[in-house]
Structures are given as structure tokens and as C-alpha cells.
Amino acid sequence: MRLHIVRPASSGRDQAAARDGQPLFVGLSLKARTAEDRALLELIEPIAQSQGLEVVRVRLMGGTQRRRLQIMAERPEDHDISVEQCARLSRGVSEVFDAADPIAGEYLLEVSSPGIDRPLTRPQDFDTWDGFEARLETDRMIEGRKRFRGHLAGIEGENIAIDLEGEDDTALIPFDWLVDAKLVMNDDLMKAGADRRAALMDQPGTDPMTEAED
């Protein structure tokens, strides 16, 4: 038996998307939390895609003083990124931002991998990391709480499936209710990361840390 978390009635926007055949997954609050983040994401994503990368998350942090723009990106085939690829993406973003000037004042640009205990920002992430432990946070109360922890069980329709701690049934949480989702650092996750790096090193001509520039 599965535990279904009931969604509210669809909004007019959701109904229009369904009529147009568009997917109802949104998830922009996970990849880019604020309106300013989303505007920056629109500039950054084409640059990353042209370099064979996918943007995992964009965050502009700090107040009125020197701010920090954090970009997490990865290769879609193995969910990692080399130092050279980070540097290349940083240069590409800097060139576009120098012309577009989307951030007022000084800022520090930081490009990195998502890390081992990575954020989960896209529906496919929950399939990719199926079976691993994660923490989720929602934008509304669900059965008296907003924070959940358990092992991911993929996706079902528009919902994230997760086997919660202390629960016999699998919970289904609407993806567009999520405001934060992240893998939990543990032995299983660290072993998976080590195995992935070892597999990359075994590939002829591949060094994930010092991949040559094009």
C-alpha cells in the first residue's frame, strides 16, 4: 500500500499547461530560488549547454555589499565536472555578464560541481539517485510538518516518491511543493561517488580532474 499526499485543485496555469500538453513539473524554485536568480539562469543555461554541461543550481547570495554568484553545473553523462570545465564555464559566463551587466555592483563568481551530498533540483535527479537517502523540505505543512527524510524511490507522475523514516508506506510528495531537496552524506553515497570516479579513471584517455580544453 502507498501513502498518497493529496494535491490541491490544479490552478488555472496548471490546467492551461495540461491542455497545451506541457509538463507540469516546474522546479524553478529549486534551480533558481528568486526572480533575480531565474533571470541569471536564463543567461547562464545557454552558455553551459554550449559547453556540454547542465546547470544544477544558481544562487546569488549576499546583501548590498560584495555578493557571491554560485553556479553548480555537471556533465549530464556522469554528473561530475572537471576543474577545467569549471574554469571554461566561468570565463563564458563572465564574458556574457560583462556585456549584459545583470548584477549591480561587485560580485564574486563561483563555479563548482554539485558535490557528493548534492542538491536535487530537477525531476530526473530523483530517478538518478533512486535508493539513496535524502532530506526534503516543502513550502507548506503536510501532516503537521515540512521536513522529511528517507530513501528516494524515484518519481511517479508529478510526485517524488520517498520511503520515509518510521513509515511503512512510500510517500508521494508533489515536486512543485519542494523548496529544498538534498542527498544525505553517508557511507552508501560516499562509496557510490568513489565507484563513479574509479570508473571514469578506467576509461582510456580520461582524467576527470584535468580534462583538456577544446
Side-chain angles (χ1 to χ4, degrees), residues 16-173:
R19 287 195 302 269
D20 294 340
Q22 301 173 11
L24 297 184
F25 282 123
V26 180
L28 284 179
S29 64
L30 296 177
K31 286 185 71 172
R33 183 167 293 165
T34 67
E36 192 171 20
D37 290 344
R38 291 192 288 273
L40 296 174
L41 178 64
E42 290 182 0
L43 293 173
I44 295 165
E45 273 198 315
I47 304 167
Q49 291 169 356
S50 72
Q51 298 180 8
L53 301 172
E54 291 184 356
V55 176
V56 175
R57 195 178 75 180
V58 171
R59 290 285 187 272
L60 182 60
M61 296 171 281
T64 56
Q65 301 300 317
R66 182 164 176 157
R67 308 174 78 185
R68 180 162 64 99
L69 175 59
Q70 181 192 70
I71 302 171
M72 292 184 179
E74 65 181 11
R75 297 184 296 263
E77 61 270 19
D78 61 9
H79 311 292
D80 206 344
I81 188 171
S82 70
V83 174
E84 288 296 334
Q85 285 174 315
C86 286
R88 191 182 312 142
L89 179 56
S90 179
R91 289 194 294 271
V93 170
S94 294
E95 290 175 3
V96 170
F97 279 26
D98 284 347
D101 196 22
I103 303 174
E106 293 186 357
Y107 67 94
L108 175 67
L109 175 60
E110 175 187 294
V111 179
S112 70
S113 76
I116 298 176
D117 54 339
R118 55 176 298 135
L120 307 168
T121 63
R122 304 157 296 182
Q124 64 263 31
D125 293 338
F126 295 88
D127 266 338
T128 299
W129 302 99
D130 186 356
F132 288 92
E133 191 175 8
R135 291 190 182 95
L136 310 181
E137 184 175 350
T138 59
D139 63 358
R140 67 201 72 188
M141 299 293 287
I142 300 175
E143 298 183 357
R145 56 176 171 160
K146 290 185 176 182
R147 293 182 176 88
F148 303 85
R149 178 168 175 162
H151 288 81
L152 298 175
I155 57 176
E156 291 194 10
E158 303 161 42
N159 303 301
I160 304 306
I162 182 169
D163 294 321
L164 298 174
E165 292 181 340
E167 300 283 351
D168 293 331
D169 300 322
T170 298
L172 298 179
I173 300 178

Side-chain angles (χ1 to χ4, degrees), residues 179-196:
V179 294
D180 194 31
K182 187 176 183 180
L183 292 178
V184 173
M185 180 73 76
N186 56 29
D187 290 344
D188 290 340
L189 185 60
M190 293 180 68
K191 182 179 184 302
D195 290 346
R196 185 172 65 250

